[in-house]
Amino acid sequence: MENTMGKMILCRGKQTDKPLVIEGTGMRLYTVEELCYYIYNNIYLIGQDFINGRLIEFLRQTGEEDLSERVRSLYEKKAGLAEILVTILKTVDYYSVSDIEKIRETLNTLGRQNVCERLKSRGDGYLANECFFSAVKCYESIINDYKGSGLSGSEYSKVYHNLGTAYARMFLYNKAAKYYDDAYKTGQHEESKKCSIAAKMLADRNSGPINVDASEDEYVISREIETLMDNARYSDEYRKLDSINALKQEGNVAGFNASIDEELLHWKEDYMKYSKTF
């Protein structure tokens, strides 16, 4: 029995000492049950490149020698992604047949998508999982390599908007503003326009007071940003940092240093997740 990814998982096989590291998210899997959980809950992030020698070796190390050989055979025969993933899920028997059939339907749908649609689905999945750099790579590939081929104007504008959001979440506000502008030009959605204004203001936040000649939209958004910044002190993160600082003020140097080390480790892990590429 393991507690992994926020869920208790009953393991039938053995746990490997050499985890399968998922490229793009940095997630580490130690059992076949964890593998099935990852496949089921991250289906939009999984491409044909997921099936490789590392996966085959992982299955062998977790005691699934027969499954490892079956996947190797399918891989060498260039079987489809859906067939291989369903084989893994059915063999491990962690999910019900009906659940697995839903996965098959999703994979078949993905298989009918053109390359830009698949990249967008994958990028959206990375963005939802806060893997911002991997999301950027997907969206930029759509724009630079495929020119949005096969996407509607509405979907293409969402690519630009989501790319802006990924950059904004990495605090790269100038780049974020550029792509929000492109999203607005392409789709004419007010949300993209507002996000662009906000990104530009955040990029220039040290340039001085509010411009009295600013447009109504700019003025409203600037006030919203100020309100959010004022309310930041009530966030859990701010309170946590405040409590750490209180340890120092109280003379609890050992507690302060331990808390700082823990917080720095957490920030490093977040940075590695945000900046990980696939």
Side-chain angles (χ1 to χ4, degrees):
M1 181 80 72
E2 290 185 22
N3 186 355
T4 180
M5 295 176 278
K7 178 177 179 179
M8 297 301 295
I9 292 182
L10 179 62
C11 300
R12 71 171 194 171
K14 66 180 183 180
Q15 179 174 315
T16 179
D17 294 329
K18 297 179 180 179
L20 177 66
V21 180
I22 305 300
E23 295 182 6
T25 65
M27 187 176 293
R28 296 172 180 269
L29 308 179
Y30 291 87
T31 67
V32 288
E33 287 78 15
E34 289 181 357
L35 173 64
C36 290
Y37 182 89
Y38 177 82
I39 291 171
Y40 189 85
N41 290 280
N42 296 276
I43 196 65
Y44 289 102
L45 300 184
I46 298 176
Q48 194 68 41
D49 56 349
F50 184 75
I51 312 301
N52 54 34
R54 292 187 300 107
L55 173 64
I56 293 168
E57 178 61 17
F58 169 79
L59 292 172
R60 188 187 67 78
Q61 290 178 353
T62 53
E64 298 288 343
E65 288 86 359
D66 290 344
L67 177 57
S68 176
E69 287 306 311
R70 288 178 66 191
V71 172
R72 182 192 300 279
S73 177
L74 290 169
Y75 175 66
E76 291 174 349
K77 292 177 182 177
K78 301 187 183 303
L81 180 63
E83 182 180 357
I84 297 176
L85 294 182
V86 168
T87 296
I88 293 172
L89 292 172
K90 284 189 173 181
T91 302
V92 177
D93 197 27
Y94 180 66
Y95 287 100
S96 68
V97 173
S98 61
D99 286 335
I100 294 172
E101 287 306 313
K102 290 178 183 177
I103 285 289
R104 188 196 295 272
E105 291 175 10
T106 301
L107 286 166
N108 288 336
T109 299
L110 291 175
R112 291 191 293 270
Q113 290 180 334
N114 62 52
V115 64
C116 285
E117 289 173 329
R118 291 197 301 271
L119 279 169
K120 184 180 180 300
S121 294
R122 199 172 190 184
D124 292 348
Y126 280 128
L127 185 60
N129 282 277
E130 299 186 330
C131 299
F132 304 124
F133 194 73
S134 293
V136 164
K137 287 294 184 182
C138 290
Y139 296 137
E140 288 190 338
S141 181
I142 293 172
I143 294 167
N144 299 324
D145 300 332
Y146 299 99
K147 312 299 181 185
S149 176
L151 292 180
S152 66
S154 175
E155 288 299 301
Y156 200 35
S157 70
K158 290 178 182 178
V159 169
Y160 279 121
H161 185 96
N162 289 352
L163 181 53
T165 298
Y167 274 121
R169 293 295 303 274
M170 292 191 290
F171 309 108
L172 299 172
Y173 296 117
N174 284 319
K175 283 191 174 183
K178 173 190 180 303
Y179 288 111
Y180 282 136
D181 282 342
D182 289 338
Y184 182 67
K185 291 174 185 176
T186 306
Q188 295 295 303
H189 296 297
E190 285 300 310
E191 182 65 20
S192 297
K193 180 181 178 181
K194 291 179 180 179
C195 287
S196 173
I197 294 171
K200 290 172 183 175
M201 288 182 173
L202 288 169
D204 299 333
R205 60 191 178 280
N206 296 322
S207 61
I210 296 174
N211 180 6
V212 294
D213 296 323
S215 69
E216 182 178 351
D217 282 342
E218 292 173 326
Y219 183 82
V220 170
I221 291 171
S222 69
R223 289 302 186 190
E224 289 178 355
I225 291 174
E226 287 182 356
T227 300
L228 288 172
M229 294 177 70
D230 288 340
N231 290 339
R233 69 187 63 189
Y234 303 110
S235 68
D236 291 340
E237 185 68 19
Y238 186 95
R239 289 173 177 170
K240 184 177 181 181
L241 294 175
D242 198 40
S243 65
I244 292 174
N245 185 58
L247 293 173
K248 183 178 181 181
Q249 301 301 322
E250 295 166 1
N252 186 351
V253 178
F256 172 77
N257 289 336
S259 296
I260 286 293
D261 288 342
E262 182 181 350
E263 192 65 17
L264 286 175
L265 178 61
H266 175 69
W267 289 352
K268 288 178 182 177
E269 290 173 346
D270 280 348
Y271 175 78
M272 290 176 67
K273 175 184 177 182
Y274 296 160
S275 60
K276 189 80 173 177
T277 187
F278 61 84

